[in-house]
């Protein structure tokens, strides 16, 4: 089964850019050349994004491959497909990798067990623990850290990549 998504590399040192392309190429089994532009939110850094198509689970494999370079700020999305939730992976240096399931419109979806654990923590540790737990489940620290980089990329060109084979 095939799906699609987007890779957003929000900031990368120029010397790492070829490694990012090789990592994406390895996952998608197709040569990838990204259109790198300056990242206004981080002088000296570059940004790129590309849409992709491939088998379900490619988003996780892309995030895992890019995670090898801890200095990257990136997001990988995978759209929902029949029987499979969508996913979003966000990486920020110092915070690491965050993963969440997403609905058809891109909202983060929380599972019953996740909510029960957050409520149990709140009963034990107080109301602030609930707010903190929900913020963590929703990836708020990652969203807050990436928002300036997302804004700096508005209007950037997006290329389509398709898995071969």
């Amino acid at each position: 089964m095939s799906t699609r998504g987007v890779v957003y590399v929000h900031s990368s040192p120029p010397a790492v850019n070829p490694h990012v392309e090789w990592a994406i190429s390895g996952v998608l089994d197709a040569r990838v050349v990204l259109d790198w532009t300056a990242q206004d939110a981080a002088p000296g850094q570059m940004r790129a994004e590309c849409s992709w198509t491939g088998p379900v689970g490619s988003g996780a494999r892309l995030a895992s491959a890019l995670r090898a370079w801890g200095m990257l700020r990136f997001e990988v999305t995978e759209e929902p497909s029949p029987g499979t939730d969508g996913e979003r992976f966000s990486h920020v240096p110092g915070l690491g990798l965050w993963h969440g399931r997403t609905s058809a419109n891109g909202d983060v979806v929380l599972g019953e067990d996740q909510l029960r654990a957050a409520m149990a923590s709140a009963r034990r540790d107080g109301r602030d623990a609930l707010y903190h737990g929900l913020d963590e489940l929703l990836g708020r620290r990652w969203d807050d850290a990436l928002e300036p980089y997302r804004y700096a990329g508005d209007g950037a060109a997006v290329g389509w990549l398709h898995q071969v084979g």
Side-chain angles (χ1 to χ4, degrees):
M1 183 172 302
S2 184
T3 189
R4 61 186 179 178
V6 181
V7 174
Y8 303 93
V9 180
H10 295 297
S11 71
S12 172
V16 175
N17 295 354
H19 300 282
V20 169
E21 292 176 354
W22 296 331
I24 296 170
S25 296
V27 171
L28 298 178
D29 196 26
R31 185 169 184 264
V32 173
V33 178
L34 300 176
D35 183 19
W36 294 96
T37 59
Q39 173 50 276
D40 294 338
Q45 299 280 308
M46 305 295 287
R47 66 166 317 284
E49 57 189 69
C50 62
S51 296
W52 58 268
T53 59
V56 170
S58 294
R61 289 189 295 280
L62 286 163
S64 180
L66 293 175
R67 177 182 190 183
W69 293 277
M71 76 289 293
L72 295 179
R73 285 177 181 81
F74 69 84
E75 291 179 277
V76 177
T77 64
E78 180 170 318
E79 292 185 6
S81 52
T84 306
D85 293 327
E87 296 182 290
R88 186 171 81 211
F89 299 86
S90 301
H91 184 270
V92 174
L95 293 179
L97 187 67
W98 174 85
H99 168 251
R101 295 183 348 225
T102 57
S103 65
N105 69 347
D107 286 347
V108 174
V109 177
L110 300 180
E112 180 180 342
D113 288 340
Q114 293 173 300
L115 292 174
R116 287 183 193 279
M119 291 184 333
S121 177
R123 277 193 293 279
R124 183 183 64 244
D125 301 327
R127 183 174 34 184
D128 286 346
L130 178 62
Y131 296 131
H132 177 73
L134 291 175
D135 277 346
E136 287 298 302
L137 291 171
L138 294 171
R140 181 176 181 170
R141 289 188 303 150
W142 286 261
D143 281 341
D144 289 349
L146 289 172
E147 194 58 30
Y149 297 88
R150 293 172 180 149
Y151 179 75
D154 282 352
V158 178
W160 276 96
L161 302 174
H162 303 278
Q163 183 166 17
V164 178

